[in-house]
Amino acid sequence: MGSKILIFGGTRGTGLEAIKLLVARGDWVTVMARSDSDRSGLEPLNVDIVEGNALDRANVEAAFAAAKFTAVINSLGGKRGETRPDLEGTISIVDAAEAAGVRRIVMVSAVGAGDSADALSPNAWKFLGPVIELKTQAEDRVTGSDLDYTILRPGGMGSDPATGTAIKTEDHSVMGMINRADLGRLVVECLDDDSTIGHIYHATDPGIDKQPPLQRGEPLGAGPKP
């Protein structure tokens, strides 16, 4: 049996793509999912599911208590019109990880957060400003913690099959497209690579024609419900 990984935001999107890779190589994966979430993507996979909501601190703590985990992946996102878990959920995850002694965390954020504000177009800021602010605060909680963190910031995201040409870069001016399957691979690669600890990367795919993130794929920050 491989590592024991706890995942938040794993019912679809990037989190689900990472889970597929982890399960395929023999890791033991536990996913926290809401009672009303679509779990069809998880059904073919040999994963444990802890029912709960990332917006409920007690639920998050219970998820960490389910096993002695090696690492945690935070791929939380949301949709417009819903209460987003980006900040509150991340705070609970970091607090619970520290309390449980789980030191390793890989977090999916978004281009525009933190020191990458200038990488996002003015048009994107009009739509995504509040979301980016939440992700900035969430990043601050992670980087200010005692955890061994790696943060990945994707730009526009698509759902096409993996190209295998996606990269991560510490050039925080980079803004481009990436498919979720490729981002999931980068998440797993970072999880395995201790040299990425303490670093924030932008995730992009040079093999995809660059288009504005609001015209191709889903908007920045879209992801599984809490």
Side-chain angles (χ1 to χ4, degrees):
M1 182 66 69
S3 300
K4 296 182 178 180
I5 313 296
L6 176 61
I7 299 185
F8 295 84
T11 57
R12 65 183 179 92
T14 301
L16 180 59
E17 295 297 337
I19 290 171
K20 292 175 183 177
L21 297 174
L22 293 169
V23 169
R25 71 183 195 180
D27 287 342
W28 178 32
V29 176
T30 298
V31 184
M32 195 179 81
R34 299 195 324 186
S35 59
D36 61 347
S37 63
D38 179 3
R39 305 178 188 180
S40 59
L42 295 173
E43 289 173 357
L45 306 174
N46 184 25
V47 301
D48 290 336
I49 297 177
V50 176
E51 193 167 290
N53 190 320
L55 291 169
D56 187 320
R57 177 176 289 266
N59 288 174
V60 174
E61 292 172 348
F64 274 91
K68 187 173 180 59
F69 294 104
T70 307
V72 57
I73 294 172
N74 175 4
S75 184
L76 290 174
K79 296 179 179 178
R80 291 190 183 92
E82 297 179 341
T83 301
R84 294 190 63 101
D86 306 74
L87 176 58
E88 187 175 342
T90 296
I91 291 173
S92 294
I93 290 169
V94 171
D95 289 349
E98 289 178 329
V102 180
R103 293 196 53 82
R104 188 72 172 105
I105 182 170
V106 176
M107 173 183 170
V108 178
S109 181
V111 170
D115 64 355
S116 67
D118 291 343
L120 205 59
S121 70
N123 184 51
W125 268 109
K126 291 179 183 179
F127 289 92
L128 301 171
V131 173
I132 296 300
E133 178 57 32
L134 289 175
K135 290 189 176 295
T136 294
Q137 295 178 59
E139 284 190 8
D140 288 344
R141 178 63 186 100
V142 172
T143 59
S145 72
D146 292 329
L147 303 183
D148 295 330
Y149 69 85
T150 305
I151 295 173
L152 284 167
R153 294 173 177 163
M157 290 191 286
S159 298
D160 291 336
T163 66
T165 56
I167 62 169
K168 63 183 186 297
T169 174
E170 289 190 271
D171 181 351
H172 292 178
S173 68
V174 169
M175 168 66 187
M177 286 293 303
I178 187 170
N179 289 322
R180 291 174 177 81
D182 289 297
L183 182 56
R185 172 180 58 81
L186 292 180
V187 167
V188 174
E189 288 181 358
C190 287
L191 194 66
D192 293 342
D193 186 356
D194 286 349
S195 72
T196 66
I197 291 174
H199 294 268
I200 299 175
Y201 299 97
H202 282 208
T204 187
D205 191 340
I208 298 179
D209 291 336
K210 293 183 178 179
Q211 295 185 20
L214 296 182
Q215 296 180 18
R216 177 169 181 166
E218 293 184 16
L220 291 164
K225 298 178 182 180

